[in-house]
């Protein structure tokens, strides 16, 4: 891959299944300059020694103080790394990163969690408003206005 086609990718996910699904996309990031962002330092064990990992506040909509701190952390990360692409499998850190990424014209990709089999998540609905590519892993949840279905990750 040439240096010109090499993109700066910010791969963002909260804990648990969101993180697991993001890691399943890792092969798609090969050849790009990837920085992983998540909420648990122990996830370092899931990455190669040379992978970059940044740990941010684990916040949800139920704790606004933590959301403010998370927003500030993600703002700094985005200004510092200037990603070309931000990809997320959820939840709050991903949707906030996609929203902030628009300020630096980063392309946003949201893949709603496979756990959301009956309806799109709240984060997914919010991300759908700012993501350039908005995907669901359930065919019956796809609509002409989004999200699109292109197959499942898990």
């Amino acid at each position: 891959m040439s240096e010109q086609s090499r993109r700066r990718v910010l791969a963002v996910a909260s804990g648990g299944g969101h993180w697991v699904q993001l890691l399943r996309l890792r092969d798609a990031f090969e050849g790009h300059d990837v920085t992983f962002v998540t909420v648990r330092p122990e996830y370092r064990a899931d990455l190669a020694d040379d992978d970059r990992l940044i740990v941010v506040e684990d916040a949800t909509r139920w704790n606004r103080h933590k959301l403010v701190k998370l927003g500030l952390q993600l703002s700094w990360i985005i200004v510092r790394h200037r990603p070309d692409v931000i990809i997320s499998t959820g939840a709050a850190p991903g949707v906030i990163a996609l929203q902030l990424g628009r300020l630096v014209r980063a392309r946003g990709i949201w893949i709603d969690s496979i756990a959301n089999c009956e309806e799109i998540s709240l984060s997914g609905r919010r991300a759908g408003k700012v993501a350039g590519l908005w995907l669901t892993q359930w065919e019956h949840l796809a609509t002409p206005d989004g999200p699109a279905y292109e197959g499942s990750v898990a």
Side-chain angles (χ1 to χ4, degrees):
M1 181 172 290
S2 73
E3 282 300 314
Q4 278 189 324
S5 61
R6 188 177 170 92
R7 302 278 185 227
R8 289 182 305 263
V9 176
L10 199 62
V12 184
S14 58
H18 298 289
W19 176 251
V20 170
Q21 291 174 58
L22 185 68
L23 291 180
R24 290 181 178 163
L25 299 170
R26 207 170 6 186
D27 288 347
F29 307 148
E30 191 168 320
H32 297 287
D33 182 16
V34 182
T35 301
F36 291 92
V37 177
T38 191
V39 297
R40 295 188 184 154
E42 61 267 27
Y43 289 165
R44 160 53 68 198
D46 298 331
L47 300 174
D49 290 341
D50 59 341
D51 285 336
R52 278 189 303 276
L53 175 70
I54 300 172
V55 178
V56 294
E57 187 72 35
D58 189 4
T60 69
R61 63 185 156 149
W62 306 113
N63 188 316
R64 302 224 183 249
H65 293 96
K66 286 185 174 184
L67 281 176
V68 170
K69 182 177 180 182
L70 174 62
L72 293 171
Q73 290 175 316
L74 289 167
S75 295
W76 173 248
I77 292 166
I78 289 169
V79 166
R80 183 156 187 243
H81 291 273
R82 295 274 177 180
D84 299 303
V85 176
I86 299 173
I87 185 166
S88 182
T89 52
V95 73
I96 293 170
L98 263 62
Q99 291 168 333
L100 293 169
R102 293 183 71 181
L103 300 173
V104 296
R105 297 179 185 235
R107 180 164 184 198
I109 301 172
W110 179 271
I111 303 168
D112 214 51
S113 172
I114 196 158
N116 301 314
C117 62
E118 295 183 10
E119 63 181 345
I120 299 299
S121 67
L122 175 62
S123 295
R125 290 192 304 269
R126 291 186 175 183
K129 296 176 183 173
V130 296
L133 180 60
W134 180 29
L135 299 171
T136 176
Q137 298 185 66
W138 295 98
E139 190 170 7
H140 66 278
L141 295 178
T143 69
D145 297 327
Y149 174 76
E150 300 291 336
S152 67
V153 171

